[in-house]
């Protein structure tokens, strides 16, 4: 059962929204009334008992108009698997175009009312959601860990960011204004920001909750309504978040979530009544999304796509810190990260020293097959990692830093890259199957290559797994050339103590994000997005919410001469 303890935090927001609802047609029709009566259907999880925080009920159906509903097309379903042992967790409703139509209709109906609410009320509703997520973080983390194989420790950290993003955009809701433009004495002009309308959002599996909230929070804050499709590999956590959203004052139809794969994604991208599609996923699918948007109703498009980050270490860097950032940058989330700094460029004079230390980190990876005690009370804020070691193991174990990859197919693709690297004469460290873990789980240890040319597929293609290569360079110019020699341009890192080098590199690197003396930081305030084949548009920050505002509407009004202020008569009240 979901905690109601958050109520004390968000009562004021509910009151505000209730007042607004009661004064509107939509409110009188009861569309915004939250029903707590119908429980979600049970999660059929054979191993749920072992995930002590997995709630006994987790929704598995689409969330449309505030209700969990089965697929219209013969109740179609698909299986959800646990990557730790390959077992089936449950079956989940699979959306066809008809389900997407139903979700879009609900979103379209709710949108004008939602946009008409005072902006602060919309913001307050998002804040409510952040509070209720806080109170239910252990359950959400357990579901996510079960479904994605992420260490429960990592998911809790991710959930903190999710709450932060919701609160960040709740604050922006009532601060998005237009401009007054007075370019001539007798012409008064102003711009006004509007919501776009119904937004289709498609997300991948590597950060299922964060990436969904990065998209839905600014969209909803601006007065849009949303039809979001999760990845077929990780549908469960977002459905549980919908169950939490049902308990807030977010009206029915504002947030709609469908589960499924390419068919549902294509239905969103091609939909004639969706005003914008925001996609995060592979570059190959991103290209198709853009074509489908163009061929249907020319809906707006933003794309967050693949990457192949270069993490550049100069000889004058604080090497110990750079080492941590390079290791984490390449291997956190098992390298299943669009920003993964999987090309580590190291200046020749410190190459041997640096690479030896990196090799040690890879070699020291430990494996754990036994499960240590769960923290019985696991609020996000209270848990800390036991130590700094790299431990590949059961994601439920709080010591584990690296769980399995998302599934065995993905593991096979990662192994193919490793095999290719070895066949080409690269020297491999790590990249082994950890002993003692379930052989049906998609486990592999971090893999580091040296002695490969910068043109090798390991150095140029997005592997999206824990495989990195180290490449030496001599001069700054060479580092820039190597780093920019990629079809991708999402993220890069520079490690140096020299301010001039840092600024010169930042200006010369062709990447949407450049981190200096750090890596992989994505605070809600900082816009995030790529260039070239890494996409277009921004998430997070002020730019992130502007992605969900309609065109600036420019209104120009010219004062009649007779009524111009200071030119006699009329008091300046009448405009044409
Ligand atoms: P993917 O492109 O295979 O799938 C992404 C989403 O698109 C999923 O929901 C999937 O069901 C859907 N989809 C698949 N085919 C589709 C089609 N033809 N039409 C419409 N929708 C379709 O990507 P993935 O394997 O889920 O995720 C990994 C990729 O995502 C990597 O390339 C990674 O770099 C990228 N990614 C980018 C960012 C970013 O912010 N730039 C963040 C995370 C992941």
């Amino acid at each position: 059962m979901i905690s109601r303890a958050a109520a004390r935090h968000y009562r004021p927001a509910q009151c505000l929204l209730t007042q607004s609802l009661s004064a509107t047609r939509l409110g009188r029709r009861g569309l915004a009334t939250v029903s707590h009566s119908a429980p979600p259907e049970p999660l059929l999880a054979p191993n749920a008992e072992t995930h002590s925080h997995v709630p006994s009920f987790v929704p598995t159906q689409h969330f449309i108009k505030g209700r969990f509903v089965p697929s219209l097309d013969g109740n179609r379903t698909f299986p959800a698997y646990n990557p730790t042992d390959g077992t089936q967790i449950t079956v989940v409703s699979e959306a066809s175009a008809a389900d997407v139509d139903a979700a879009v209709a609900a979103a379209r109906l709710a949108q004008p009312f939602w946009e008409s609410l005072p902006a602060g009320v919309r913001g307050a509703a998002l804040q409510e959601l952040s509070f209720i997520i806080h109170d239910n973080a252990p359950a959400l983390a357990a579901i996510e860990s079960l479904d994605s194989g992420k260490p429960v420790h990592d998911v809790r950290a991710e959930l903190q960011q999710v709450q932060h993003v919701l609160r960040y955009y709740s604050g922006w809701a009532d601060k998005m204004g237009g401009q007054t433009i007075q370019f001539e004495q007798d012409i008064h002009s102003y711009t006004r920001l509007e919501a776009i309308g119904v937004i289709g959002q498609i997300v991948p599996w590597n950060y299922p909750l964060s990436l969904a909230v990065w998209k839905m929070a600014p969209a909803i804050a601006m007065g849009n309504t949303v039809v979001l499709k999760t990845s077929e590999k990780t549908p469960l956590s977002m459905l549980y978040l919908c169950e939490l959203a049902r308990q807030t004052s977010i009206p029915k139809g504002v947030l709609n979530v469908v589960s499924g794969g390419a068919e549902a994604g294509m239905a969103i991208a091609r939909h004639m009544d969706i005003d914008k599609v925001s996609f995060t996923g592979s570059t190959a699918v991103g290209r198709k999304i853009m074509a489908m948007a163009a061929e249907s109703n020319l809906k707006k498009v933003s794309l967050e796509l693949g990457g192949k980050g270069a993490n550049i270490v100069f000889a004058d860097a604080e090497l110990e810190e750079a080492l941590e950032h390079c290791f984490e940058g390449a291997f956190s989330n098992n390298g299943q990260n669009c920003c993964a700094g999987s090309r580590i460029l190291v200046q020749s004079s410190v190459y041997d020293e640096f690479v030896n230390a990196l090799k040690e980190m890879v070699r020291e990876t430990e494996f754990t097959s036994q499960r240590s005690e769960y923290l019985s009370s696991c609020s996000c804020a209270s848990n800390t990692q036991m130590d700094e070691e790299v431990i590949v193991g059961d994601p439920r174990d709080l010591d584990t830093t690296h769980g399995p990859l998302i599934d065995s197919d993905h593991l096979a693709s990662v192994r193919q890259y490793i095999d290719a690297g070895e066949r080409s004469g690269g020297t491999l460290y790590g990249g082994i199957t950890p002993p003692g873990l379930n052989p049906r789980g998609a486990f592999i240890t971090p893999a580091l290559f040296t002695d490969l040319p910068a043109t090798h597929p390991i150095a140029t293609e997005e592997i999206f797994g824990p495989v990195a290569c180290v490449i030496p360079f001599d001069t700054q110019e060479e580092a820039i050339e190597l780093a920019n020699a990629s079809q991708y341009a999402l993220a890069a890192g520079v490690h140096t103590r020299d301010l001039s080098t840092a600024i010169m590199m930042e200006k010369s690197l062709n990447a949407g994000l450049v981190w200096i003396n750090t890596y992989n930081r994505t605070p809600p305030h900082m816009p995030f997005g790529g260039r070239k084949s890494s996409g277009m548009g921004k998430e997070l920050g002020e730019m992130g919410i502007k992605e969900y505002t309609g065109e600036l509407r420019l209104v120009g009004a010219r004062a009649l001469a007779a009524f111009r202020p200071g030119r006699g008569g009329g008091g300046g009240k009448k405009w044409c």
Side-chain angles (χ1 to χ4, degrees):
M1 188 63 202
I2 291 168
S3 154
R4 303 280 166 90
R8 67 181 186 282
H9 296 298
Y10 56 78
R11 194 172 296 124
Q14 270 185 324
C15 293
L16 268 176
L17 186 56
T18 313
Q19 283 163 15
S20 298
L21 293 176
S22 62
T24 65
R25 198 163 50 86
L26 197 63
R28 280 197 298 277
R29 276 203 257 145
L31 284 174
T33 311
V34 175
S35 160
H36 300 293
S37 54
E41 70 281 17
L43 173 76
L44 308 171
N47 48 6
E49 298 79 17
T50 56
H51 278 71
S52 60
H53 291 284
V54 173
S56 50
F57 289 98
V58 173
T60 56
Q61 298 177 332
H62 311 299
F63 184 68
I64 298 176
K65 217 180 195 176
R67 291 176 54 227
F68 291 101
V69 293
S71 300
L72 290 167
D73 187 1
N75 198 8
R76 285 194 329 182
T77 58
F78 64 95
Y81 293 106
N82 176 355
T84 305
D85 56 15
T87 56
Q88 183 175 318
I89 304 167
T90 187
V91 290
V92 178
S93 296
E94 182 179 13
S96 65
D99 301 295
V100 170
D101 282 346
V104 173
R108 181 59 69 194
L109 185 64
Q111 197 276 325
F113 164 69
W114 180 238
E115 188 176 5
S116 75
L117 288 178
V121 172
R122 293 197 304 266
L126 284 180
Q127 200 158 19
E128 272 183 74
L129 185 58
S130 84
F131 287 136
I132 201 163
I133 287 173
H134 175 270
D135 286 2
N136 291 276
L140 260 176
I143 294 166
E144 188 73 290
S145 175
L146 177 70
D147 201 18
S148 71
K150 281 171 188 275
V152 77
H153 183 276
D154 284 5
V155 188
R156 289 181 197 168
E158 200 178 321
L159 281 171
Q160 285 183 321
Q161 208 233 21
V162 162
Q163 293 164 56
H164 198 170
V165 170
L166 285 165
R167 290 198 301 272
Y168 176 79
Y169 281 120
S170 82
W172 264 116
D174 59 3
K175 292 167 194 70
M176 296 299 294
Q179 288 178 305
T180 303
I181 304 162
Q182 202 72 45
F183 55 91
E184 279 177 34
Q185 182 66 29
D186 61 345
I187 298 189
H188 176 78
S189 308
Y190 61 94
T191 61
R192 207 159 49 71
L193 292 181
E194 293 181 334
I196 296 177
V198 174
I199 313 288
Q201 303 183 326
I202 302 173
V203 292
W205 47 263
N206 60 329
Y207 294 100
L209 281 170
S210 301
L211 296 178
V213 170
W214 286 17
K215 288 190 190 300
M216 68 167 240
I220 287 177
M222 258 324 287
N224 302 283
T225 53
V226 160
V227 174
L228 184 140
K229 190 193 83 64
T230 50
S231 166
E232 61 276 35
K233 297 187 180 184
T234 49
L236 296 178
S237 58
M238 195 56 200
L239 290 174
Y240 194 68
L241 189 142
C242 291
E243 172 57 17
L244 300 179
R246 266 178 16 133
Q247 302 186 34
T248 70
S249 50
I250 296 174
K252 294 178 178 180
V254 169
L255 170 64
N256 305 276
V257 174
V258 293
S259 310
E263 182 181 340
M266 289 191 286
I268 289 175
R270 288 190 179 130
H271 207 284
M272 296 300 285
D273 200 26
I274 287 181
D275 302 301
K276 168 166 183 164
V277 60
S278 174
F279 171 82
T280 300
S282 60
T283 299
V285 175
R287 290 184 208 282
K288 293 183 190 169
I289 298 283
M290 197 155 177
M292 287 186 273
E295 284 159 10
S296 53
N297 60 345
L298 259 183
K299 55 179 72 63
K300 292 170 187 293
V301 179
S302 58
L303 302 171
E304 296 289 346
L305 309 176
K308 187 76 189 175
N311 213 347
I312 306 164
V313 181
F314 284 91
D316 70 342
E318 178 58 66
L319 289 181
E320 250 180 58
E321 281 194 17
L323 194 65
E324 286 290 326
H325 292 304
C326 286
F327 190 89
E328 280 295 305
F331 299 124
S332 67
N333 207 35
N334 268 326
Q336 300 172 134
N337 179 2
C338 50
C339 293
S342 52
R343 292 183 291 157
I344 303 173
L345 311 184
V346 183
Q347 200 155 24
S348 303
S349 56
V350 292
Y351 182 85
D352 288 343
E353 175 192 353
F354 196 82
V355 170
N356 282 338
L358 259 183
K359 283 192 271 189
E360 276 314 297
M361 289 182 82
V362 169
R363 279 208 200 98
E364 279 170 12
T365 298
E366 292 184 9
F367 330 110
T368 170
S369 53
Q370 11 27 351
R371 184 179 160 215
S372 67
E373 277 299 301
Y374 254 100
L375 288 185
S376 52
S377 119
C378 51
S379 102
C380 276
S382 68
N383 87 74
T384 49
Q385 196 82 7
M386 309 294 178
D387 49 47
E388 299 301 317
E389 285 167 331
V390 179
I391 299 176
V392 179
D394 189 324
R396 292 164 296 172
D397 189 326
L398 285 173
D399 287 346
T400 295
T401 57
H402 294 68
L405 306 191
I406 189 67
D407 58 27
S408 49
D409 287 349
H410 190 46
L411 176 62
S413 135
V414 168
R415 282 200 189 291
Q416 277 178 9
Y417 276 102
I418 293 176
D419 293 347
E422 284 195 292
R423 276 200 309 274
S424 306
T427 311
L428 171 68
Y429 305 91
I432 62 163
T433 302
L437 293 173
N438 191 322
R440 292 195 302 149
F443 292 100
I444 186 166
T445 67
L448 185 74
F449 272 101
T450 59
D451 309 316
L452 281 176
T455 49
H456 192 276
I458 286 187
T460 58
E461 292 178 15
E462 185 185 45
I463 302 174
F464 217 56
V467 183
C469 60
V470 202
I471 299 166
F473 69 89
D474 290 317
T475 63
Q476 193 169 309
E477 292 67 34
E478 196 187 348
I480 293 166
E481 204 178 310
L482 282 167
N484 287 346
S486 172
Q487 64 157 316
Y488 299 109
L490 182 57
V494 178
H495 302 269
T496 175
R497 285 197 178 101
D498 187 292
L499 187 59
S500 313
T501 307
I503 292 172
M504 172 59 87
M505 290 300 290
E506 176 274 306
K507 287 186 173 163
S508 309
L509 290 171
N510 194 0
L513 299 141
V514 178
W515 286 291
I516 294 171
N517 294 328
T518 184
Y519 204 82
N520 252 347
R521 294 255 174 124
T522 54
H525 330 80
M526 214 181 90
F528 177 103
R531 300 171 175 178
K532 292 165 69 178
S533 297
S534 292
M536 59 183 75
K538 293 278 182 265
E539 312 251 26
L540 300 180
E542 185 180 353
M543 288 180 175
I545 195 166
K546 285 194 169 153
E547 292 281 343
Y548 292 105
T549 59
E551 276 150 34
L552 288 173
R553 184 163 292 182
L554 182 75
V555 183
R558 182 169 171 270
L560 285 174
F563 295 96
R564 279 177 207 151
R567 295 193 187 177
K573 282 189 182 155
K574 207 170 175 188
W575 302 88
C576 64

